[in-house]
Amino acid sequence: MELLAEFDPFLKEHVKNYGGPGSGKTNYLSSTTYEEVVRIMAQKCREVITSNVRAAKYFSIIVDSTPDISHVDQLSIVLRHVQECGTPREVFLTFIPNTGHKSEELLNAVTTALEAFQINLDDCRGQ
């Protein structure tokens, strides 16, 4: 929140007046507020990414299996597309739980994720 406050005058004033006032006082900088702000920002980023990919029409996809900090296997999905100015762009889209290492299981996981983001797999030109 303090980092965002550097770029937002209203938030900067709020943090200056109410940030860290002590126990028992409401300051709207709690962990739940922080998590909600991060969730909203992530959603907005995904909306921008997916609209850019849909505008580019064609894309390629990179899917990699990686364990997270708790050693749970997950898939990271990265999309690559060409921007309107002609430069290629590679963007991280999401992590999804890994349901298995067989090709059919990977296909189902990836197609479900792309459908959730309204990205058409038929426009994929590379993997």
Side-chain angles (χ1 to χ4, degrees):
M1 294 302 289
E2 291 171 352
L3 176 63
L4 290 174
E6 291 182 24
F7 304 101
D8 185 313
F10 174 78
L11 192 55
K12 185 175 189 171
E13 187 66 25
H14 179 80
V15 169
K16 185 178 103 179
N17 293 335
Y18 302 104
S23 178
K25 297 189 179 179
T26 304
N27 65 8
Y28 303 104
L29 296 176
S30 68
S31 62
T32 54
T33 302
Y34 162 78
E35 289 170 4
E36 184 176 351
V37 169
V38 170
R39 184 187 57 76
I40 291 168
M41 290 171 50
Q43 180 62 33
K44 183 63 178 168
C45 287
R46 283 192 200 101
E47 289 172 7
V48 169
I49 289 169
T50 56
S51 68
N52 288 343
V53 170
R54 285 191 296 269
K57 178 78 173 155
Y58 301 113
F59 66 95
S60 31
I61 188 168
I62 302 164
V63 179
D64 193 15
S65 172
T66 312
D68 65 9
I69 195 165
S70 62
H71 304 290
V72 174
D73 208 22
Q74 59 187 0
L75 296 175
S76 58
I77 297 180
V78 176
L79 301 178
R80 184 177 173 102
H81 66 280
V82 178
Q83 297 177 359
E84 289 181 11
C85 63
T87 58
R89 183 167 189 199
E90 201 168 276
V91 290
F92 168 78
L93 183 61
T94 191
F95 287 115
I96 57 174
N98 191 354
T99 57
H101 292 283
K102 294 182 180 176
S103 58
E104 186 176 356
E105 296 164 336
L106 291 171
L107 175 66
N108 290 338
V110 169
T111 54
T112 301
L114 291 178
E115 286 172 2
F117 291 110
Q118 300 173 343
I119 297 174
N120 189 354
L121 185 61
D122 293 337
D123 294 333
C124 182
R125 294 296 184 255
Q127 59 181 352

